[in-house]
Amino acid sequence: MAHHHDHSHDIASERIGWAFFLNLGFTIIEFIGGWLTNSTAIMADAVHDLGDSLSIGSAWLLNKFSNKGANQHFTYGYRRLSLFGAFINSVVLVVGSVWVLVLSVPRLFDPVMPVTEGMLALAILGIAVNGYAAVKLSSGKSLNEKVLNWHLLEDVLGWGAVLVVAIVLMFVDWPILDPILSICFTVFILINVVRNLVQTVRLFLQGAPDKKTQTKLTKVLIEPQEISTAHHVHYWSLDGEHHVLTAHLCLAQELNAEQVIALKQRLADNLAEYDLAHTTLEFEYPQEQCRDG
Ligand SMILES: [Zn+2]
Ligand SMILES: [Zn+2]
Ligand SMILES: [Zn+2]
């Protein structure tokens, strides 16, 4: 099957690279700012943004790598590297989240007033940086950019919450709001990490990327009347976006070369809508034994 090449990759790569350095720089400012303002909410946001920087960074590297495509030694290309990147990212986020919880849970019982002016300044900077990046990326058409853009808007909302808490703390003496916000952020981070981790492990184990599609594919394979049954149907995904299908198809009757070619063409037409990256179909004749048992 044809392997697609997206010629907007270079521009996408440039935009994502730019978002990476902006995000990383801002993450460093946040960690220093969180320490200076003594705010656990800022620290929680810093951990979140560290995770963002890592995933943007690996998306950026992969964008460059996936342009290289497959070679003799890596016959599927390098797309599976994204699973490795996602796994490392999850581990960093879990460690960071535990660290933030260790900082903020004791403060529920012994609240410490953060430097609210510093919090306010960082919140305004956070809204400006993430908002600007979101606007800049909103022209992007690639899936990566769309996901990133949606995410940046979420981050703007997070900084909005920090802004509100900073302003409230300027007028009332409720320092407990800081660890509460921090714990809310961290729980939100952990829920997303667990969801990503489950998906990553599924893909590692070559699980079917989507059960409904799997059922439909099996139907498509045995739909032509020349085919009686299918077995060794393997439907898995390189990276969650590029899927692979292999199958053995038992023929109901003897077919000559022309009939086989026509049958393969028909299967190709029926499979086209599933946009599979690699397909391998083997026909077994009625009197033939299956090699794989
Ligand atoms: Zn984010
Ligand atoms: Zn292939
Ligand atoms: Zn077989």
Side-chain angles (χ1 to χ4, degrees), residues 14 37 46 57 87 97 104 139 143 150 160 166 176 180 191 194 196 227 240 256 276 285:
E14 201 177 289
T37 58
F87 186 76
S97 298
S104 39
S139 58
L143 185 68
W150 179 245
I176 199 169
I180 287 175
I191 289 171
V194 169
N196 285 336
I227 294 165
N256 63 33
L276 299 156
Y285 283 82

Side-chain angles (χ1 to χ4, degrees), residues 7 179 270 290:
H7 292 286
N270 292 345
C290 178

Side-chain angles (χ1 to χ4, degrees), residues 163-185:
L163 181 81
V164 169
V165 166
I167 291 172
V168 169
L169 288 181
M170 283 176 169
F171 296 101
V172 289
D173 188 34
W174 290 340
I176 199 169
L177 286 181
D178 181 63
I180 287 175
L181 185 59
S182 153
I183 290 167
C184 289
F185 278 159

Side-chain angles (χ1 to χ4, degrees), residues 232-284:
H232 274 287
V233 179
H234 303 297
Y235 174 52
W236 57 284
S237 186
L238 293 174
D239 58 357
E241 280 179 54
H242 300 85
H243 307 327
V244 181
L245 176 72
T246 62
H248 293 190
L249 305 174
C250 294
L251 296 176
Q253 74 237 36
E254 290 288 340
L255 297 179
N256 63 33
E258 269 147 60
Q259 289 168 316
V260 169
I261 291 168
L263 177 58
K264 284 170 82 174
Q265 186 55 53
R266 187 154 160 221
L267 285 166
D269 292 343
N270 292 345
L271 288 173
E273 66 175 285
Y274 296 95
D275 200 24
L276 299 156
H278 303 267
T279 56
T280 310
L281 301 176
E282 166 156 0
F283 294 123
E284 283 171 15

Side-chain angles (χ1 to χ4, degrees), residues 112-288:
V112 181
M113 192 55 138
V115 182
T116 50
E117 291 82 3
M119 263 181 99
L120 185 72
L122 282 167
I124 291 169
L125 188 65
I127 290 170
V129 169
N130 286 295
Y132 179 63
V135 169
K136 187 125 196 209
L137 280 179
S138 62
S139 58
K141 292 278 176 288
S142 79
L143 185 68
N144 265 343
E145 286 174 299
K146 278 184 185 160
V147 170
L148 211 58
N149 192 31
W150 179 245
H151 183 97
L152 286 166
L153 290 175
E154 264 179 28
D155 288 1
V156 171
L157 288 180
W159 281 110
V162 175
L163 181 81
V164 169
V165 166
I167 291 172
V168 169
L169 288 181
M170 283 176 169
F171 296 101
V172 289
D173 188 34
W174 290 340
I176 199 169
L177 286 181
D178 181 63
I180 287 175
L181 185 59
S182 153
I183 290 167
C184 289
F185 278 159
T186 308
V187 168
F188 184 74
I189 294 171
L190 283 174
I191 289 171
N192 279 310
V193 170
V194 169
R195 194 187 299 151
N196 285 336
L197 208 54
V198 167
Q199 179 63 5
T200 305
V201 170
R202 278 182 59 92
L203 294 174
F204 259 130
L205 295 180
Q206 289 176 295
D210 176 51
K211 276 191 176 169
K212 268 189 198 158
T213 311
Q214 186 184 28
T215 317
K216 276 195 220 156
L217 280 172
T218 313
K219 277 191 191 137
V220 165
L221 290 175
I222 57 170
E223 189 262 337
Q225 59 174 30
E226 297 93 326
I227 294 165
S228 57
T229 55
H231 56 271
H232 274 287
V233 179
H234 303 297
Y235 174 52
W236 57 284
S237 186
L238 293 174
D239 58 357
E241 280 179 54
H242 300 85
H243 307 327
V244 181
L245 176 72
T246 62
H248 293 190
L249 305 174
C250 294
L251 296 176
Q253 74 237 36
E254 290 288 340
L255 297 179
N256 63 33
E258 269 147 60
Q259 289 168 316
V260 169
I261 291 168
L263 177 58
K264 284 170 82 174
Q265 186 55 53
R266 187 154 160 221
L267 285 166
D269 292 343
N270 292 345
L271 288 173
E273 66 175 285
Y274 296 95
D275 200 24
L276 299 156
H278 303 267
T279 56
T280 310
L281 301 176
E282 166 156 0
F283 294 123
E284 283 171 15
Y285 283 82
Q287 70 275 24
E288 198 181 346

